[in-house]
Amino acid sequence: MARDKVVADAAAAVADIPDGASLAVGGFGTCGLPTVLVQALLEAGTTDLSVVSNNCGTDAHGLGTLLAAGRLRRVTASYVGDNAVLATKWQAGEVELELVPQGTLAERLRAGGSGIAAFYTRAGVATPIADGGLPWRYAPDGTVAVASPPRRVELFDGVPHVLEHATRTDVALVRAALGDRAGNLVFHAAARNFNPLAAMAGRVTIAEVEELVDVDELDPDEVHLPGVFVQRVVEVPPGTPKRIDRLTVQGQPDQWGVDR
């Protein structure tokens, strides 16, 4: 019989995450963000966190709430354009930031969950990604305190490739549209982009699910992530709001006056 992994609530699920932990966090834009778990972590007061996520939320949503509260020490991400607070804190030397090509970040997480220590990719060849020197952390006087190191480059079929190490984190926080009590998860649309990969990378993975069902209610062919990767499941409280990333309303003119 499958083990029941459901815990009482988000507060109980994140209670043992220590200060200084590393987190892989799912989400793509504002789609599929584990907002209930992030809010519980914020309320728990956990700090000095190192997070790996496609983007660091927005100024007042998702991981952006932990950032604004000064709880993040390091951010590894692909896209930070919707978070002015992150740019300000990075330039002020208050947070370390590593920017990673999106496909490389996805593969780092997947490799970490698949037992692959490192891999080579063409992304970043002949750029500061390979050559090193990208500012990760600034000093208060504006000088670079920590810079990215140079990466190993090898030729494969005469083409240079950059060595990238896999990502493993202490904990992963993810959100699924549907999950069963054994941790098998189903994701909706763009929420599937990074949530399964983040879940694979965590040594302990906590999933918040919008709809919780019994183990025998999911068709195995519909499961996007098997429960072997998930240790704890939390049901999202009814009525929890979901943020829309870019609201487009049919029949209204866009910025050019064209009726879409």
Side-chain angles (χ1 to χ4, degrees):
M1 183 176 179
R3 180 167 67 90
D4 192 328
K5 300 177 181 178
V6 176
V7 296
D9 53 32
V14 305
D16 62 349
I17 298 178
D19 292 346
S22 59
L23 308 177
V25 182
F28 189 75
T30 58
C31 300
L33 291 177
T35 53
V36 175
L37 292 169
V38 170
Q39 180 62 29
L41 204 57
L42 178 68
E43 294 173 0
T46 315
T47 191
D48 197 35
L49 297 168
S50 176
V51 300
V52 181
S53 187
N54 178 63
N55 51 286
C56 193
T58 58
D59 289 345
H61 191 65
L63 288 174
T65 60
L66 290 173
L67 177 70
R71 307 287 181 79
L72 303 186
R73 176 185 63 82
R74 191 176 198 276
V75 175
T76 301
S78 287
Y79 176 71
V80 295
D82 287 335
N83 198 323
V85 174
L86 178 57
T88 300
K89 285 184 172 289
W90 173 55
Q91 291 169 343
E94 297 175 13
V95 67
E96 190 170 300
L97 173 63
E98 179 184 5
L99 290 174
V100 183
Q102 193 170 75
T104 300
L105 182 62
E107 184 61 13
R108 278 191 191 180
L109 294 165
R110 191 199 69 82
S114 301
I116 299 170
F119 59 92
Y120 281 95
T121 176
R122 294 177 63 180
V125 171
T127 75
I129 294 289
D131 300 338
L134 287 170
W136 281 358
R137 180 182 288 274
Y138 286 102
D141 63 1
T143 60
V144 177
V146 180
S148 65
R151 306 287 176 84
R152 182 173 177 175
V153 177
E154 296 285 350
L155 294 179
F156 294 90
D157 296 326
V159 179
H161 290 68
V162 178
L163 178 67
E164 292 281 356
H165 289 270
T167 293
R168 289 283 280 164
T169 60
D170 299 321
V171 180
L173 306 178
V174 300
R175 182 177 183 128
L178 185 63
D180 68 17
R181 305 187 74 89
N184 299 299
L185 304 179
V186 178
F187 304 95
H188 176 67
R192 190 177 173 186
N193 286 359
F194 272 89
N195 270 299
L197 306 174
M200 292 172 67
R203 294 179 178 89
V204 173
T205 294
I206 309 171
E208 61 179 62
V209 300
E210 296 170 22
E211 182 181 353
L212 179 65
V213 299
D214 289 328
V215 174
D216 58 355
E217 293 186 53
L218 282 183
D219 183 336
D221 284 340
E222 296 177 352
V223 172
H224 297 145
L225 184 81
V228 67
F229 289 108
V230 179
Q231 283 68 49
R232 302 172 193 171
V233 177
V234 176
E235 188 171 15
V236 174
T240 300
K242 294 177 69 174
R243 180 165 175 162
I244 297 174
D245 205 344
R246 294 286 187 272
L247 180 62
T248 301
V249 180
Q250 186 176 12
Q252 291 189 357
D254 62 14
Q255 60 179 324
W256 309 111
V258 177
D259 191 343
R260 300 294 183 182

